[in-house]
Amino acid sequence: MAVTENNMEDINPVLRISQMDAIELNKALEQLIWSQFNSCFQGFKPGILTRFEPEIKAFLWLFLWRYTVYSNNATVGQAILNIQYKNDLSQTKTYRPMNKQQKVWFALFTVGGKWLAERSYDLFSNHPLGSSFQKTRSLINACAGLLKVSELLNFLIFLQQGKFATLTERLLRIRSTFIKPQNVRHVGFEYMNREILWHGFAEFLIFLLPLINTHKLKLKLFSWCKPIQGLRHNDPSLAVHCKECCLCGEWPTMPHTIGCSHVFCYYCIKSNSMSDAYFTCPKCSSHVHSLQPLEFKVEISEVHTL
């Protein structure tokens, strides 16, 4: 049975992405717990938790550690992904859980490290030897930088070997293994392909729609639906026959022309030409050369017939 478990572990090891997902799930859970705990004190005086925030967080993370790693040898994120910690110090092929020393050191490195990172400046700034605070602060910054470099090197080694995703796991020699043997998964990509297709189509529409001049397109469709009949471009008295604005369809107010045989309200043609530098007549597609006022006499009987 031991040989079978070891062979299964070698054939189907814990994926790197699964280990990283477990870490991200743990971070999300910590943020959720703190936000829920913080919401309980919204009715109190603002900033009531600020003074003791590192200690409160440390207590909550210790409580979480007690019922996850200490009891089940796995964090919440690992339990969701069917992963648990294995004592890698043992040379046996069978599974061996973490011992108590590893669990305690795990709490010190994770919970204690976060608390010390938040409280370090306050602890040393209130020290009686205030003159040495600058040296202590420089030392803390150097240690923090060294720790970041060590975490980066550990992450690069993790990407190569696939073991010990965090520096704490490498120092304590604990690595992730599956709780139960994993079978080869058959993943269907039909849904994923459909989502990718629709997502790409939506992005294409988002890119394309701002490039379309909808106002000009609307005017073009309007000109197709309501063409002016019986007009010739070379007729000098065409303005007399135009009893409506080619844009709004009403009696032209302060009638103007743009060089073609059609009439527009001054405010209609002025606003459209200012909003669109390439505005053309919706009837004949003539460009705006110049706005010229149009003067003609209209009988009152003609106004009532509109």
Side-chain angles (χ1 to χ4, degrees), residues 153-205:
L153 294 177
N154 177 78
F155 182 72
L156 295 177
I157 297 174
F158 163 73
L159 292 179
Q160 181 182 10
Q161 298 180 356
K163 297 188 300 182
F164 309 120
T166 62
L167 187 60
T168 302
E169 296 178 5
R170 185 172 297 276
L171 293 176
L172 299 179
R173 304 298 298 178
I174 53 177
R175 64 190 182 96
S176 301
T177 58
F178 284 115
I179 299 176
K180 298 179 181 179
Q182 298 293 295
N183 297 324
V184 179
R185 296 183 300 174
H186 298 281
V187 182
F189 294 96
E190 291 81 4
Y191 175 78
M192 186 180 299
N193 293 335
R194 186 167 62 252
E195 289 297 319
I196 292 175
L197 178 62
W198 282 110
H199 183 71
F201 182 70
E203 287 187 346
F204 175 73
L205 290 180

Side-chain angles (χ1 to χ4, degrees), residues 114-127:
K114 294 178 182 178
W115 174 84
L116 184 61
E118 296 181 6
R119 275 299 185 195
S120 57
Y121 290 111
D122 295 336
L123 291 176
F124 292 104
S125 61
N126 297 327
H127 198 273

Side-chain angles (χ1 to χ4, degrees), residues 79-108:
I80 294 175
L81 299 176
N82 192 30
I83 301 173
Q84 64 182 357
Y85 279 127
K86 173 188 176 182
N87 187 356
D88 205 42
L89 294 174
S90 62
Q91 301 298 328
T92 59
K93 296 181 179 181
T94 58
Y95 170 78
R96 290 192 62 182
M98 299 168 59
N99 53 42
K100 287 187 177 181
Q101 289 79 8
Q102 288 176 323
K103 295 177 181 179
V104 172
W105 281 109
F106 185 88
L108 290 176

Side-chain angles (χ1 to χ4, degrees), residues 9-258:
E9 182 180 336
D10 294 336
I11 294 173
N12 193 13
V14 179
L15 300 177
R16 296 170 178 82
I17 187 63
S18 298
Q19 300 181 53
M20 298 303 300
D21 286 342
I23 296 175
E24 293 299 324
L25 287 173
N26 294 332
K27 293 179 181 179
L29 177 64
E30 292 178 357
Q31 294 178 358
L32 179 61
I33 292 176
W34 177 247
S35 62
Q36 293 294 326
F37 182 83
N38 199 18
S39 63
C40 298
F41 296 88
Q42 289 182 352
F44 293 84
K45 182 180 179 180
I48 190 174
L49 300 178
T50 305
R51 183 179 178 183
F52 305 101
E53 181 175 340
E55 286 74 19
I56 296 174
K57 284 185 176 181
F59 175 78
L60 292 176
W61 307 157
L62 280 176
F63 183 81
L64 186 64
W65 164 84
R66 171 62 181 82
Y67 292 97
T68 55
V69 178
Y70 188 82
S71 301
N72 302 322
N73 295 293
T75 62
V76 176
Q78 288 177 329
I80 294 175
L81 299 176
N82 192 30
I83 301 173
Q84 64 182 357
Y85 279 127
K86 173 188 176 182
N87 187 356
D88 205 42
L89 294 174
S90 62
Q91 301 298 328
T92 59
K93 296 181 179 181
T94 58
Y95 170 78
R96 290 192 62 182
M98 299 168 59
N99 53 42
K100 287 187 177 181
Q101 289 79 8
Q102 288 176 323
K103 295 177 181 179
V104 172
W105 281 109
F106 185 88
L108 290 176
F109 286 153
T110 55
V111 181
K114 294 178 182 178
W115 174 84
L116 184 61
E118 296 181 6
R119 275 299 185 195
S120 57
Y121 290 111
D122 295 336
L123 291 176
F124 292 104
S125 61
N126 297 327
H127 198 273
L129 300 177
S131 59
S132 62
F133 173 67
Q134 295 296 333
K135 296 181 180 180
T136 307
R137 183 175 181 179
S138 301
L139 180 61
I140 294 174
N141 291 334
C143 294
L146 182 61
L147 182 61
K148 294 294 183 182
V149 172
S150 302
E151 291 178 350
L152 176 60
L153 294 177
N154 177 78
F155 182 72
L156 295 177
I157 297 174
F158 163 73
L159 292 179
Q160 181 182 10
Q161 298 180 356
K163 297 188 300 182
F164 309 120
T166 62
L167 187 60
T168 302
E169 296 178 5
R170 185 172 297 276
L171 293 176
L172 299 179
R173 304 298 298 178
I174 53 177
R175 64 190 182 96
S176 301
T177 58
F178 284 115
I179 299 176
K180 298 179 181 179
Q182 298 293 295
N183 297 324
V184 179
R185 296 183 300 174
H186 298 281
V187 182
F189 294 96
E190 291 81 4
Y191 175 78
M192 186 180 299
N193 293 335
R194 186 167 62 252
E195 289 297 319
I196 292 175
L197 178 62
W198 282 110
H199 183 71
F201 182 70
E203 287 187 346
F204 175 73
L205 290 180
I206 294 174
F207 170 77
L208 182 63
L209 288 178
L211 302 178
I212 300 176
N213 192 339
T214 56
H215 182 72
K216 187 175 182 180
L217 182 62
K218 181 178 68 174
L219 293 177
K220 195 68 176 178
L221 294 176
F222 180 77
S223 65
W224 291 345
C225 297
K226 295 183 64 177
I228 296 180
Q229 303 291 340
L231 297 181
R232 299 190 307 274
H233 292 280
N234 55 359
D235 189 354
S237 61
L238 287 178
V240 180
H241 301 284
C242 295
K243 302 297 191 303
E244 65 178 16
C245 173
C246 294
L247 293 175
C248 64
E250 302 294 334
W251 183 271
T253 304
M254 299 176 62
H256 279 67
T257 61
I258 60 174

